[in-house]
Amino acid sequence: MTQKNTTLKNKSPLDGKRLLLIIGGGIAAYKCLDLIRRLREKGMTVRVILTRSGAEFVTPLSISSLSGEKVYTDLFSLTDEAEMGHIRLSREADLVLVAPATANMMAKMAAGLADNLATTALLATDKPVMIAPSMNSRMWEHAASRRNLQQLKEDGVHIIPPASGELACGEEGTGRLAEVEDMVGAIAFFFEPSGALTDKHILITAGPTYEAIDPVRYMANRSSGKQGYAIARALADLGAKVTLISGPTNLAAPAGLQTIPVESAAEMLAACQNALPADVAICVAAVADWRVSNCAGQKIKKQDGALPALQLTENPDILKILSTDKVNRPELVIGFAAETENIAENAQAKRTKKGCDWIVANDVSTKDGPSVMGGDYNKVILFRGKDREDWPAGHKDEIAKNLAQKIAEFYA
Ligand code: CTP
């Protein structure tokens, strides 16, 4: 490869891009200083609007030292308006990011208020807007914040979800501003989503497995395959070479990727091992835990109420086998945990037991409405090691896109 090609390949998607960063009033505002530094290292120009409450946490001097630009603070500043009006400020950017986006800021944005420079610029901009929310977990979970978040999503605002853990107020929960590298990753992904996974081979298991009792009957788990297929499509859209190993479903094989149909867990395992090596493996399939070891060669006939003596044996655990493969372990192995109670605890225990890197926990109970299994919607928690992210409920396509983005960010 020539020197020129190497340089081209290594160019950051942020190089030469312009960000308007609106720093809101939250304790996490300090993270924006590191964010500015990291973005500038990647060749981005960062201009900052510091809200009045943001200025309680970080100073204009520290921001301008890092950004190398004037910091804008006041809507009615005569010098600011003479130098650069709020309209120009809001449009001379490729992306507007609000971080930390407080509950108050989100409410104002959702309502379309324009009562200071930041909110005025947000209303005046014709550029894409992204927010990184940060607040106390009760505020994040409040019905008003849910509504505002939904409104912002409908308005086309991109969301960098907050992380979970210990919050500045001492409480535990969701609401911590995303880590700086996650924000950098989300911005890079925004500018270059397609092709982010071009050279990656990704293996996905999906759907149920059927375990034969006799030539006519079988045992299976409930699974439509919709979530696994959506993930396969989302990853293919990012340029990955996807091998989808699917148990029996009613879904059409997605275009642009290889689908290998299988029936039993044993076949699914063999197909996975055959498809290795892979960079990433994602086990979404609802694999039957047991199979009938004395599967009959002919249809078992009913015999006046006498029940057939089915002997069960445990199926291989595909996720565990891939996670512990000494020769061909994919660099990133992701499992799903279908749980009906103690969702987070059970999922984390499963991640440790099976040795995968990330686990996506989903609540498959029907207590909060229609079942996830077979339905179009899902609500998940993503665990990356100990790092926890509770994602708002969404369409399976949306969950799939978010997961694909996280994988792209992992490689960014
Ligand atoms: N899995 C697998 N092979 C199996 C069983 C499960 O690859 N034989 C994978 C699933 O695809 C999923 C994860 O393991 O990624 C967890 O599956 P789940 O059904 O939630 O858990 P189980 O391991 O079956 O445990 P339990 O039934 O006790 O909850």
Side-chain angles (χ1 to χ4, degrees):
M1 190 183 284
T2 63
Q3 177 71 39
K4 192 168 164 227
N5 280 345
T6 315
T7 319
L8 279 179
K9 193 162 187 289
N10 292 337
K11 190 172 171 247
S12 163
L14 300 181
D15 199 13
K17 296 286 191 302
R18 300 161 307 170
L19 179 75
L20 176 64
L21 173 64
I22 297 178
I23 303 184
I27 183 84
Y30 75 91
K31 284 189 186 170
C32 289
L33 298 177
D34 194 27
L35 178 67
I36 296 168
R37 188 180 61 79
R38 296 276 299 276
L39 294 173
R40 286 204 68 207
E41 276 169 10
K42 292 187 182 295
M44 211 175 191
T45 304
V46 185
R47 236 177 223 156
V48 174
I49 294 179
L50 181 63
T51 62
R52 191 169 299 179
S53 38
E56 300 287 333
F57 296 95
V58 285
T59 68
L61 184 60
S62 46
I63 295 168
S64 63
S65 315
L66 286 162
S67 69
E69 299 269 341
K70 177 179 164 52
V71 176
Y72 298 83
T73 50
D74 191 346
L75 181 58
F76 298 108
S77 157
L78 284 178
T79 51
D80 284 4
E81 280 294 315
E83 284 168 22
M84 176 166 320
H86 59 276
I87 306 281
R88 228 181 99 197
L89 188 58
S90 72
R91 297 193 187 160
E92 278 191 359
D94 300 300
L95 175 70
V96 182
L97 170 67
V98 186
T102 59
N104 184 42
M105 177 66 96
M106 282 174 58
K108 285 184 180 182
M109 287 174 75
L113 293 185
D115 61 348
N116 59 31
L117 178 60
T119 48
T120 308
L122 282 163
L123 212 55
T125 190
D126 56 357
K127 295 299 186 306
V129 176
M130 191 179 264
I131 62 168
S134 168
M135 65 197 73
N136 168 273
S137 55
R138 282 283 167 84
M139 294 168 83
W140 174 246
E141 275 149 27
H142 195 283
S145 300
R146 306 278 88 203
R147 260 195 324 271
N148 293 334
L149 182 70
Q150 188 53 34
Q151 184 61 57
L152 292 171
K153 275 192 193 172
E154 282 169 25
D155 294 346
V157 172
H158 303 262
I159 317 289
I160 306 178
S164 304
E166 198 181 329
L167 304 173
C169 54
E171 289 179 18
E172 286 269 336
T174 301
R176 215 172 59 195
L177 182 65
E179 294 305 326
V180 171
E181 59 262 35
D182 287 334
M183 290 192 275
V184 174
I187 298 166
F189 180 81
F190 170 81
F191 284 113
E192 205 173 273
S194 63
L197 293 170
T198 298
D199 51 350
K200 301 291 177 251
H201 176 211
I202 303 187
L203 182 68
I204 301 173
T205 69
T209 63
Y210 284 4
E211 309 299 333
I213 296 173
D214 65 21
V216 178
R217 307 176 178 97
Y218 61 82
M219 304 194 311
N221 278 357
R222 285 182 207 279
S223 169
S224 62
K226 284 180 183 170
Q227 187 64 83
Y229 277 53
I231 293 170
R233 281 194 303 270
L235 289 163
D237 285 349
L238 298 187
K241 175 178 173 258
V242 176
T243 306
L244 173 64
I245 297 168
S246 172
T249 71
N250 291 324
L251 306 173
L257 54 96
Q258 190 189 18
T259 305
I260 301 176
V262 294
E263 198 165 284
S264 64
E267 285 172 21
M268 188 173 268
L269 173 64
C272 285
Q273 289 178 320
N274 205 25
L276 291 174
D279 298 286
V280 183
I282 312 174
C283 293
V284 196
V287 182
D289 292 304
W290 306 283
R291 68 178 181 279
V292 179
S293 55
N294 57 343
C295 172
Q298 302 298 329
K299 186 181 176 197
I300 303 171
K301 302 305 282 179
K302 278 185 284 184
Q303 287 176 359
D304 298 329
L307 298 177
L310 298 182
Q311 282 166 18
L312 298 183
T313 187
E314 201 162 302
N315 264 332
D317 190 320
I318 301 167
L319 175 62
K320 190 169 180 182
I321 292 171
L322 293 175
S323 298
T324 52
D325 189 316
K326 294 244 166 14
V327 183
N328 266 327
R329 186 194 196 276
E331 184 179 6
L332 180 62
V333 182
I334 306 174
F336 267 67
E339 305 295 343
T340 55
E341 57 181 351
N342 301 328
I343 319 288
E345 297 74 16
N346 286 345
Q348 271 296 44
K350 242 175 222 178
R351 188 184 66 77
T352 322
K353 190 169 130 202
K354 303 202 181 205
C356 58
D357 305 297
W358 299 359
I359 200 151
V360 182
N362 55 352
D363 183 350
V364 292
S365 67
T366 47
K367 65 181 180 343
D368 291 330
S371 174
V372 166
M373 299 225 156
D376 287 329
Y377 290 84
N378 204 352
K379 185 168 187 320
V380 307
I381 308 171
L382 172 67
F383 290 98
R384 290 178 292 178
K386 292 209 171 98
D387 178 59
R388 168 181 174 157
E389 266 184 29
D390 294 60
W391 293 358
H395 194 278
K396 286 182 177 173
D397 286 346
E398 196 184 335
I399 305 277
K401 281 189 187 143
N402 287 345
L403 185 65
Q405 178 172 345
K406 293 288 166 192
I407 295 168
E409 287 171 20
F410 171 83
Y411 282 106

